[in-house]
Amino acid sequence: MRERLQDSLAYPPRLLDLDRAAAYVSFGRTKFLELVEQRKMPQPVDVDGNARWDRHDLDATVDDLKDRRRDPVKRSRMSLEERLSKQEAGGRA
C-alpha cells in the first residue's frame, strides 16, 4: 500500500502530480482517479506529457461539493467549468 504524501514546503505548489493531488483532497490514488474519470474531480493539465492538477481547480471542486452537500437546491448550480469560464470572462460565479 502506498503511503500518503505530505510536503514540507513553506508554500503549496500550484500544480500537483497525481500523488500530491490525491493527498491534497484526502483521497488515495485509485479513488482520486475514479473521481477524475467520473468528472467529479477536475481534469489534469498536460505539462510536457505529464498530468498535473491545478490546486485552485481542486479547491473550487471541493468548495462546490461542500455547497451541494449543505444545500440540495444548489445541486443544479453551474458546473465547475461554467463557473471558471465565467470568472475568466470577468464575471462573478
Side-chain angles (χ1 to χ4, degrees):
M1 179 181 273
R2 285 193 123 153
E3 186 177 330
R4 292 219 172 144
L5 188 63
Q6 292 183 348
D7 286 327
S8 59
L9 299 175
Y11 57 90
R14 176 72 186 265
L15 294 176
L16 308 169
D17 65 16
L18 173 59
D19 290 329
R20 286 187 171 98
Y24 185 73
V25 292
S26 300
F27 289 115
R29 287 172 57 109
T30 303
K31 182 63 175 178
F32 181 76
L33 285 173
E34 179 183 312
L35 293 170
V36 169
E37 186 175 315
Q38 295 171 357
R39 299 205 174 270
K40 292 182 179 177
M41 283 288 143
Q43 298 300 301
V45 174
D46 183 308
V47 179
D48 292 332
N50 297 302
R52 296 289 185 259
W53 280 264
D54 186 321
R55 182 172 45 85
H56 293 183
D57 290 348
L58 293 170
D59 288 339
T61 300
V62 171
D63 289 343
D64 189 49
L65 291 171
K66 287 178 5 185
D67 286 347
R68 289 175 188 223
R69 194 183 98 227
R70 280 189 213 128
D71 187 353
V73 173
K74 291 185 179 179
R75 290 184 181 159
S76 63
R77 287 177 51 172
M78 289 184 272
S79 69
L80 171 63
E81 291 81 15
E82 290 170 320
R83 288 183 22 220
L84 290 174
S85 66
K86 189 173 182 177
Q87 283 178 343
E88 289 174 1
R92 195 159 161 83

